[in-house]
Protein backbone atom coordinates (compact mmCIF):
# COMPACT_ATOMS: atom_id res chain seq x y z
CA UNK A 1 0.00 0.00 0.00
CA UNK A 2 1.35 3.44 -0.97
CA UNK A 3 1.92 6.26 1.52
CA UNK A 4 -1.10 8.11 0.14
CA UNK A 5 -3.34 5.04 0.46
CA UNK A 6 -2.11 4.47 4.00
CA UNK A 7 -2.85 8.07 4.94
CA UNK A 8 -6.29 7.87 3.32
CA UNK A 9 -7.07 4.72 5.29
CA UNK A 10 -5.95 6.37 8.51
CA UNK A 11 -8.12 9.40 7.76
CA UNK A 12 -11.11 7.18 7.06
CA UNK A 13 -10.61 5.54 10.43
CA UNK A 14 -10.84 8.91 12.16
CA UNK A 15 -13.68 10.28 10.02
CA UNK A 16 -16.98 11.10 11.59
CA UNK A 17 -20.47 11.67 10.24
CA UNK A 18 -21.51 14.10 12.95
CA UNK A 19 -24.91 15.66 13.05
CA UNK A 20 -24.79 19.41 13.24
CA UNK A 21 -26.90 21.70 15.34
CA UNK A 22 -28.48 24.34 13.08
CA UNK A 23 -28.74 28.05 13.86
CA UNK A 24 -31.29 29.92 11.74
CA UNK A 25 -31.42 33.69 11.49
CA UNK A 26 -30.16 34.75 8.07
CA UNK A 27 -32.80 35.35 5.41
CA UNK A 28 -31.05 34.34 2.21
CA UNK A 29 -27.69 33.70 0.58
CA UNK A 30 -24.67 32.19 2.28
CA UNK A 31 -23.36 32.84 5.77
CA UNK A 32 -19.97 34.44 5.20
CA UNK A 33 -18.33 34.77 8.62
CA UNK A 34 -18.73 33.99 12.31
CA UNK A 35 -17.02 34.84 15.57
CA UNK A 36 -17.39 33.28 19.03
CA UNK A 37 -17.21 35.32 22.22
CA UNK A 38 -14.34 34.60 24.58
CA UNK A 39 -15.81 36.67 27.41
CA UNK A 40 -19.25 35.02 27.21
CA UNK A 41 -18.89 31.36 26.23
CA UNK A 42 -21.74 30.25 24.01
CA UNK A 43 -22.37 33.62 22.38
CA UNK A 44 -21.82 33.64 18.60
CA UNK A 45 -22.22 36.38 16.00
CA UNK A 46 -22.53 35.69 12.29
CA UNK A 47 -22.76 37.73 9.09
CA UNK A 48 -24.09 36.90 5.67
CA UNK A 49 -24.64 37.79 2.06
CA UNK A 50 -28.05 39.15 3.10
CA UNK A 51 -26.29 42.05 4.86
CA UNK A 52 -27.53 40.88 8.25
CA UNK A 53 -25.72 40.51 11.54
CA UNK A 54 -27.14 37.69 13.69
CA UNK A 55 -26.55 37.14 17.41
CA UNK A 56 -26.92 33.67 18.95
CA UNK A 57 -26.66 32.22 22.45
CA UNK A 58 -26.05 28.48 22.18
CA UNK A 59 -27.92 27.95 25.46
CA UNK A 60 -31.12 28.87 23.63
CA UNK A 61 -32.71 27.60 20.45
CA UNK A 62 -33.56 30.72 18.45
CA UNK A 63 -31.61 33.70 17.19
CA UNK A 64 -31.54 36.45 19.82
CA UNK A 65 -31.02 39.41 17.54
CA UNK A 66 -30.90 40.25 13.85
CA UNK A 67 -29.59 43.60 12.63
CA UNK A 68 -29.95 44.64 8.99
CA UNK A 69 -26.47 46.10 9.04
CA UNK A 70 -25.73 46.71 5.34
CA UNK A 71 -27.43 46.75 1.96
CA UNK A 72 -24.70 44.54 0.51
CA UNK A 73 -22.98 41.27 1.55
CA UNK A 74 -20.92 41.38 4.74
CA UNK A 75 -17.46 39.90 4.20
CA UNK A 76 -16.04 39.89 7.74
CA UNK A 77 -16.93 40.46 11.38
CA UNK A 78 -15.00 40.91 14.63
CA UNK A 79 -15.55 42.04 18.21
CA UNK A 80 -14.05 45.20 19.62
CA UNK A 81 -11.20 44.37 21.98
CA UNK A 82 -12.38 44.59 25.58
CA UNK A 83 -16.03 45.19 24.67
CA UNK A 84 -17.80 42.38 22.85
CA UNK A 85 -21.11 44.28 22.77
CA UNK A 86 -19.39 46.38 20.11
CA UNK A 87 -19.09 44.64 16.73
CA UNK A 88 -17.25 45.68 13.55
CA UNK A 89 -18.34 44.49 10.11
CA UNK A 90 -16.98 45.04 6.61
CA UNK A 91 -19.26 45.43 3.58
CA UNK A 92 -17.84 46.44 0.22
CA UNK A 93 -15.03 48.91 0.91
CA UNK A 94 -16.63 50.15 4.13
CA UNK A 95 -16.29 49.28 7.82
CA UNK A 96 -19.19 49.87 10.20
CA UNK A 97 -19.56 49.31 13.94
CA UNK A 98 -22.67 48.44 15.95
CA UNK A 99 -23.62 48.19 19.61
CA UNK A 100 -25.82 45.11 19.89
CA UNK A 101 -27.34 46.44 23.13
CA UNK A 102 -29.28 48.90 20.97
CA UNK A 103 -31.25 46.01 19.49
CA UNK A 104 -32.44 45.26 15.98
CA UNK A 105 -32.83 48.97 15.16
CA UNK A 106 -29.18 49.64 15.94
CA UNK A 107 -27.52 52.23 13.69
CA UNK A 108 -23.79 52.40 12.88
CA UNK A 109 -21.74 54.04 15.62
CA UNK A 110 -18.67 54.48 13.42
CA UNK A 111 -18.03 54.29 9.69
CA UNK A 112 -14.62 54.06 7.99
CA UNK A 113 -14.07 54.39 4.24
CA UNK A 114 -10.29 54.29 3.89
CA UNK A 115 -10.09 51.18 1.66
CA UNK A 116 -10.42 51.82 -2.06
CA UNK A 117 -11.36 48.23 -2.98
CA UNK A 118 -13.56 45.54 -1.47
CA UNK A 119 -12.50 44.45 2.01
CA UNK A 120 -11.89 40.73 2.55
CA UNK A 121 -11.13 40.62 6.27
CA UNK A 122 -10.96 42.90 9.30
CA UNK A 123 -9.24 42.33 12.65
CA UNK A 124 -8.87 44.34 15.87
CA UNK A 125 -5.76 44.50 18.07
CA UNK A 126 -5.60 44.65 21.85
CA UNK A 127 -4.51 48.29 21.52
CA UNK A 128 -7.63 49.22 19.56
CA UNK A 129 -6.19 49.29 16.05
CA UNK A 130 -8.43 48.01 13.28
CA UNK A 131 -6.91 46.35 10.19
CA UNK A 132 -8.71 45.90 6.86
CA UNK A 133 -7.28 43.81 3.99
CA UNK A 134 -8.67 44.53 0.53
CA UNK A 135 -8.63 43.47 -3.11
CA UNK A 136 -5.93 45.99 -4.05
CA UNK A 137 -3.42 44.12 -1.89
CA UNK A 138 -3.29 46.94 0.65
CA UNK A 139 -4.06 46.83 4.36
CA UNK A 140 -5.39 49.93 6.10
CA UNK A 141 -4.75 50.33 9.85
CA UNK A 142 -7.30 52.54 11.62
CA UNK A 143 -6.84 54.08 15.06
CA UNK A 144 -10.32 53.55 16.51
CA UNK A 145 -9.55 55.73 19.55
CA UNK A 146 -8.75 58.80 17.48
CA UNK A 147 -11.00 57.60 14.63
CA UNK A 148 -8.47 58.21 11.89
CA UNK A 149 -6.26 56.35 9.43
CA UNK A 150 -3.04 55.30 11.17
CA UNK A 151 -1.01 53.45 8.52
CA UNK A 152 -1.28 52.00 5.05
CA UNK A 153 0.54 48.69 4.56
CA UNK A 154 1.42 48.26 0.91
CA UNK A 155 3.78 46.70 -1.65
CA UNK A 156 4.12 43.32 0.08
CA UNK A 157 1.25 41.84 -1.94
CA UNK A 158 0.94 42.07 -5.72
CA UNK A 159 -2.59 40.67 -5.76
CA UNK A 160 -5.65 40.47 -3.51
CA UNK A 161 -4.87 40.57 0.23
CA UNK A 162 -7.26 37.94 1.55
CA UNK A 163 -6.46 37.79 5.26
CA UNK A 164 -5.08 39.87 8.13
CA UNK A 165 -4.50 39.17 11.82
CA UNK A 166 -2.68 40.82 14.69
CA UNK A 167 -0.13 38.85 16.71
CA UNK A 168 -1.34 39.05 20.33
CA UNK A 169 2.04 38.69 22.04
CA UNK A 170 3.61 41.33 19.76
CA UNK A 171 1.19 44.27 19.96
CA UNK A 172 2.73 46.21 17.05
CA UNK A 173 2.93 43.24 14.69
CA UNK A 174 0.41 42.10 12.09
CA UNK A 175 0.37 39.23 9.60
CA UNK A 176 -1.21 39.16 6.14
CA UNK A 177 -1.80 36.60 3.42
CA UNK A 178 -2.70 37.07 -0.22
CA UNK A 179 -3.63 35.52 -3.53
CA UNK A 180 -0.08 36.17 -4.70
CA UNK A 181 0.82 33.13 -2.51
CA UNK A 182 2.67 35.34 -0.02
CA UNK A 183 2.59 35.52 3.76
CA UNK A 184 3.94 38.79 5.22
CA UNK A 185 4.63 39.85 8.80
CA UNK A 186 4.62 43.59 9.51
CA UNK A 187 5.73 46.12 12.06
CA UNK A 188 2.61 48.17 11.40
CA UNK A 189 3.80 51.08 13.55
CA UNK A 190 6.51 51.66 10.93
CA UNK A 191 4.62 50.33 7.94
CA UNK A 192 7.32 47.87 6.92
CA UNK A 193 7.60 44.11 6.55
CA UNK A 194 9.69 42.07 8.98
CA UNK A 195 9.74 38.95 6.82
CA UNK A 196 7.69 37.23 4.13
CA UNK A 197 7.28 33.74 2.74
CA UNK A 198 6.50 33.15 -0.93
CA UNK A 199 4.65 29.84 -1.22
CA UNK A 200 4.68 30.24 -4.99
CA UNK A 201 8.48 30.13 -5.19
CA UNK A 202 9.95 27.10 -7.00
CA UNK A 203 11.87 26.13 -3.85
CA UNK A 204 8.78 25.86 -1.66
CA UNK A 205 6.58 24.41 -4.39
CA UNK A 206 9.05 21.59 -5.03
CA UNK A 207 9.51 20.74 -1.36
CA UNK A 208 5.78 20.86 -0.70
CA UNK A 209 4.80 18.68 -3.64
CA UNK A 210 7.24 15.84 -2.93
CA UNK A 211 5.37 12.82 -1.68
CA UNK A 212 1.96 14.48 -2.17
CA UNK A 213 0.51 12.52 -5.06
CA UNK A 214 -3.14 13.46 -5.44
CA UNK A 215 -2.69 16.92 -3.94
CA UNK A 216 -4.86 19.67 -5.40
CA UNK A 217 -2.98 21.34 -8.28
CA UNK A 218 -4.32 24.84 -7.64
CA UNK A 219 -1.80 27.60 -6.86
CA UNK A 220 -0.70 27.94 -3.23
CA UNK A 221 -2.75 31.10 -2.69
CA UNK A 222 -3.03 32.13 0.96
CA UNK A 223 -6.76 32.17 1.68
CA UNK A 224 -6.69 32.53 5.44
CA UNK A 225 -4.28 32.99 8.34
CA UNK A 226 -4.89 32.10 11.99
CA UNK A 227 -2.59 33.06 14.86
CA UNK A 228 -2.40 30.99 18.03
CA UNK A 229 -3.48 32.44 21.34
CA UNK A 230 -0.73 33.63 23.62
CA UNK A 231 0.30 31.00 26.15
CA UNK A 232 -1.13 27.87 24.51
CA UNK A 233 0.64 24.68 25.52
CA UNK A 234 2.35 26.53 28.34
CA UNK A 235 3.62 29.23 26.01
CA UNK A 236 5.96 26.74 24.34
CA UNK A 237 4.77 27.48 20.80
CA UNK A 238 3.86 30.76 19.14
CA UNK A 239 2.68 29.87 15.69
CA UNK A 240 0.41 30.79 12.82
CA UNK A 241 -1.48 28.49 10.48
CA UNK A 242 -1.75 29.18 6.76
CA UNK A 243 -4.67 27.95 4.62
CA UNK A 244 -3.52 27.39 1.05
CA UNK A 245 -5.27 27.16 -2.27
CA UNK A 246 -3.58 23.85 -3.10
CA UNK A 247 -5.32 22.19 -0.15
CA UNK A 248 -2.30 22.21 2.16
CA UNK A 249 -2.07 23.64 5.67
CA UNK A 250 1.21 25.10 6.91
CA UNK A 251 2.07 25.80 10.55
CA UNK A 252 4.85 28.38 10.98
CA UNK A 253 6.92 29.10 14.09
CA UNK A 254 6.60 32.89 14.15
CA UNK A 255 9.14 33.52 16.89
CA UNK A 256 11.78 31.57 14.98
CA UNK A 257 11.09 33.55 11.81
CA UNK A 258 11.19 36.84 13.72
CA UNK A 259 14.35 36.04 15.65
CA UNK A 260 17.61 37.78 14.65
CA UNK A 261 19.58 35.92 11.99
CA UNK A 262 22.50 35.17 14.35
CA UNK A 263 20.26 33.10 16.64
CA UNK A 264 19.21 30.87 13.74
CA UNK A 265 22.65 29.68 12.81
CA UNK A 266 24.62 30.14 9.58
CA UNK A 267 22.05 28.48 7.30
CA UNK A 268 19.57 31.38 7.44
CA UNK A 269 20.06 34.76 5.84
CA UNK A 270 18.41 37.82 7.27
CA UNK A 271 16.43 40.01 4.87
CA UNK A 272 13.10 41.65 4.24
CA UNK A 273 12.05 38.57 2.26
CA UNK A 274 13.05 35.13 3.46
CA UNK A 275 12.16 31.61 2.41
CA UNK A 276 13.01 28.53 4.41
CA UNK A 277 15.53 26.07 3.13
CA UNK A 278 14.13 22.70 2.20
CA UNK A 279 15.61 21.26 5.39
CA UNK A 280 13.60 23.76 7.43
CA UNK A 281 10.30 22.51 6.05
CA UNK A 282 8.59 19.93 8.22
CA UNK A 283 6.29 17.43 6.52
CA UNK A 284 4.31 16.69 9.67
CA UNK A 285 6.84 14.07 10.74
CA UNK A 286 9.86 14.51 12.98
CA UNK A 287 12.49 13.70 10.38
CA UNK A 288 13.55 17.30 9.86
CA UNK A 289 16.46 18.79 11.72
CA UNK A 290 14.95 22.19 12.41
CA UNK A 291 11.21 21.66 11.88
CA UNK A 292 10.21 25.29 12.14
CA UNK A 293 7.39 24.82 9.64
CA UNK A 294 4.98 21.93 9.32
CA UNK A 295 3.30 21.01 6.04
CA UNK A 296 -0.01 19.11 6.37
CA UNK A 297 -1.34 17.90 3.04
CA UNK A 298 -3.25 15.23 1.13
CA UNK A 299 -0.67 12.55 1.88
CA UNK A 300 -1.56 12.85 5.58
CA UNK A 301 -5.31 12.67 4.99
CA UNK A 302 -5.67 16.41 4.40
CA UNK A 303 -7.79 18.46 2.03
CA UNK A 304 -8.26 17.68 -1.64
CA UNK A 305 -9.30 21.27 -2.50
CA UNK A 306 -8.50 24.78 -1.32
CA UNK A 307 -8.48 25.39 2.44
CA UNK A 308 -10.64 28.37 3.30
CA UNK A 309 -10.59 28.91 7.05
CA UNK A 310 -9.20 27.95 10.46
CA UNK A 311 -10.07 27.61 14.10
CA UNK A 312 -7.77 26.57 16.93
CA UNK A 313 -8.17 25.19 20.41
CA UNK A 314 -4.91 24.56 22.24
CA UNK A 315 -2.90 21.94 20.43
CA UNK A 316 -5.72 21.24 17.95
CA UNK A 317 -6.10 23.05 14.66
CA UNK A 318 -9.33 22.88 12.66
CA UNK A 319 -9.26 23.54 8.91
CA UNK A 320 -12.22 23.80 6.55
CA UNK A 321 -12.07 23.56 2.79
CA UNK A 322 -13.75 23.69 -0.57
CA UNK A 323 -13.85 19.89 -0.46
CA UNK A 324 -16.75 20.19 2.05
CA UNK A 325 -14.73 18.75 4.89
CA UNK A 326 -13.43 19.78 8.29
CA UNK A 327 -10.07 18.41 9.42
CA UNK A 328 -8.91 18.44 13.04
CA UNK A 329 -5.13 18.24 13.39
CA UNK A 330 -2.89 17.64 16.40
CA UNK A 331 -0.07 19.77 15.02
CA UNK A 332 1.98 19.92 18.23
CA UNK A 333 3.14 16.30 17.91
CA UNK A 334 5.12 17.08 14.79
CA UNK A 335 6.39 20.45 15.96
CA UNK A 336 8.41 19.44 18.99
CA UNK A 337 11.83 17.86 18.30
CA UNK A 338 11.53 16.12 21.66
CA UNK A 339 8.74 13.81 20.47
CA UNK A 340 8.96 10.80 18.17
CA UNK A 341 5.39 11.27 16.90
CA UNK A 342 4.08 12.89 13.74
CA UNK A 343 1.52 15.62 13.37
CA UNK A 344 -1.68 13.73 12.79
CA UNK A 345 -5.21 14.06 11.53
CA UNK A 346 -7.41 13.17 14.50
CA UNK A 347 -10.86 13.85 13.06
CA UNK A 348 -12.40 14.23 9.60
CA UNK A 349 -15.96 15.59 9.33
CA UNK A 350 -17.96 15.61 6.09
CA UNK A 351 -20.07 18.79 6.17
CA UNK A 352 -21.67 18.30 2.71
CA UNK A 353 -21.08 21.89 1.59
CA UNK A 354 -18.10 24.12 0.85
CA UNK A 355 -16.83 25.84 4.01
CA UNK A 356 -16.79 29.65 3.91
CA UNK A 357 -15.64 30.25 7.47
CA UNK A 358 -15.30 28.60 10.86
CA UNK A 359 -14.39 29.47 14.42
CA UNK A 360 -14.03 27.64 17.72
CA UNK A 361 -15.75 28.47 21.00
CA UNK A 362 -14.24 28.23 24.53
CA UNK A 363 -16.80 25.62 25.61
CA UNK A 364 -16.72 21.88 26.24
CA UNK A 365 -19.53 21.21 23.76
CA UNK A 366 -20.98 23.02 20.74
CA UNK A 367 -17.47 24.34 20.20
CA UNK A 368 -17.06 24.39 16.42
CA UNK A 369 -19.14 26.90 14.45
CA UNK A 370 -19.19 26.59 10.66
CA UNK A 371 -20.43 28.88 7.89
CA UNK A 372 -21.00 27.16 4.55
CA UNK A 373 -22.72 28.07 1.29
CA UNK A 374 -26.17 27.88 2.90
CA UNK A 375 -27.99 30.47 5.04
CA UNK A 376 -27.79 28.22 8.13
CA UNK A 377 -24.94 28.29 10.68
CA UNK A 378 -23.82 24.79 11.71
CA UNK A 379 -22.50 23.87 15.17
CA UNK A 380 -20.44 20.72 15.87
CA UNK A 381 -18.63 19.10 18.78
CA UNK A 382 -15.05 18.28 17.94
CA UNK A 383 -13.61 17.32 21.35
Amino acid sequence: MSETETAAAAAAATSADRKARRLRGHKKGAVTCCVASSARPGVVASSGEDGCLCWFDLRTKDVLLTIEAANKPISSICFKSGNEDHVYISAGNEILSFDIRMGSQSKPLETYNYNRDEINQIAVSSKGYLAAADDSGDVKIVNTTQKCLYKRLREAHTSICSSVQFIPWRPWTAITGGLDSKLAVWDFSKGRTLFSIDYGSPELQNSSSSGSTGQCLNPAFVHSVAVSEEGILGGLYKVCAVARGDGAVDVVDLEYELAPAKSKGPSRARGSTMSSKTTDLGDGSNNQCQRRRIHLDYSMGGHTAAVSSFGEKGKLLVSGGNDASLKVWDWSKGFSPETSSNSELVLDIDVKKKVNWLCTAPTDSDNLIVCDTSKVVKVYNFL
Side-chain angles (χ1 to χ4, degrees):
M1 183 179 288
S2 69
E3 290 185 9
T4 301
E5 290 172 331
T6 302
T14 61
S15 65
D17 184 13
R18 299 196 170 195
K19 188 173 182 179
R21 178 180 173 184
R22 296 170 178 264
L23 304 179
R24 303 180 187 276
H26 291 279
K27 301 175 181 179
K28 60 183 179 179
V31 185
T32 54
C33 193
C34 59
V35 60
S37 170
S38 57
R40 289 173 288 192
V43 171
V44 175
S46 65
S47 60
E49 291 180 342
D50 57 0
C52 289
L53 169 65
C54 292
W55 193 267
F56 301 95
D57 187 331
L58 298 182
R59 296 171 298 180
T60 63
K61 181 179 179 181
D62 300 320
V63 61
L64 296 182
L65 176 67
T66 300
I67 299 173
E68 295 183 0
N71 59 3
K72 61 188 73 173
I74 299 173
S75 58
S76 185
I77 180 175
C78 64
F79 291 125
K80 181 177 181 178
S81 179
N83 181 7
E84 294 185 350
D85 289 324
H86 192 151
V87 180
Y88 291 102
I89 67 163
S90 59
N93 66 341
E94 191 172 47
I95 303 171
L96 305 99
S97 69
F98 295 87
D99 188 335
I100 60 93
R101 294 171 296 185
M102 298 174 66
S104 60
Q105 301 303 312
S106 176
K107 301 299 181 183
L109 300 176
E110 305 165 32
T111 302
Y112 301 108
N113 294 282
Y114 296 117
N115 293 77
R116 67 181 185 185
D117 286 345
E118 185 171 347
I119 297 170
N120 296 304
Q121 189 175 20
I122 55 176
V124 176
S125 78
S126 60
K127 289 185 174 291
Y129 291 95
L130 176 64
D134 68 28
D135 279 356
S136 73
D138 289 356
V139 178
K140 300 300 195 305
I141 306 291
V142 177
N143 184 326
T144 61
T145 302
Q146 299 182 3
K147 295 180 172 50
C148 64
L149 181 66
Y150 176 74
K151 276 289 188 297
R152 177 185 177 188
L153 310 183
R154 56 183 301 187
E155 298 180 355
H157 296 289
T158 57
S159 184
I160 291 169
C161 186
S162 53
S163 186
V164 61
Q165 295 289 337
F166 290 99
I167 299 178
W169 60 89
R170 286 178 174 259
W172 296 102
T173 309
I175 186 167
T176 60
L179 301 193
D180 54 1
S181 302
K182 290 180 181 177
L183 181 78
V185 175
W186 303 79
D187 178 341
F188 70 86
S189 68
K190 299 178 180 178
R192 64 179 180 88
T193 54
L194 300 175
F195 79 88
S196 65
I197 299 171
D198 184 359
Y199 289 106
S201 68
E203 180 186 30
L204 292 189
Q205 283 186 323
N206 291 338
S207 59
S208 296
S209 61
S210 60
S212 299
T213 303
Q215 186 72 30
C216 172
L217 297 179
N218 289 338
F221 296 156
V222 177
H223 287 293
S224 181
V225 177
V227 180
S228 64
E229 296 177 359
E230 187 174 7
I232 65 166
L233 300 177
L236 186 60
Y237 303 116
K238 295 180 177 179
V239 303
C240 75
V242 183
R244 294 170 33 166
D246 59 359
V249 173
D250 276 24
V251 182
V252 179
D253 183 341
L254 288 175
E255 288 305 293
Y256 174 76
E257 301 288 351
L258 288 166
K262 63 182 180 181
S263 68
K264 299 178 183 179
S267 64
R268 295 296 297 266
R270 184 68 171 171
S272 60
T273 301
M274 299 186 294
S275 295
S276 276
K277 302 295 184 183
T278 303
T279 53
D280 291 335
L281 276 170
D283 58 0
S285 66
N286 71 336
N287 60 356
Q288 305 292 341
C289 60
Q290 293 190 340
R291 302 172 64 211
R292 299 302 185 178
R293 302 177 193 168
I294 298 174
H295 184 72
L296 308 172
D297 61 17
Y298 176 85
S299 67
M300 301 180 66
H303 294 279
T304 57
V307 186
S308 56
S309 185
F310 282 126
E312 59 90 14
K313 196 173 180 70
K315 66 178 183 177
L316 298 178
L317 172 69
V318 187
S319 58
N322 292 357
D323 56 0
S325 70
L326 300 172
K327 311 283 185 180
V328 181
W329 305 89
D330 185 348
W331 57 268
S332 63
K333 288 186 176 181
F335 217 89
S336 173
E338 298 174 0
T339 68
S340 57
S341 302
N342 299 342
S343 295
E344 63 179 18
L345 178 66
V346 298
L347 186 63
D348 186 354
I349 304 174
D350 180 6
V351 293
K352 311 300 183 185
K353 294 179 182 290
K354 171 186 170 183
V355 177
N356 285 333
W357 199 257
L358 65 86
C359 67
T360 57
T363 53
D364 293 331
S365 61
D366 289 343
N367 47 24
L368 176 56
I369 298 91
V370 179
C371 305
D372 58 27
T373 53
S374 75
K375 64 181 181 180
V376 180
V377 179
K378 313 296 194 309
V379 183
Y380 296 87
N381 296 324
F382 77 99
L383 291 180

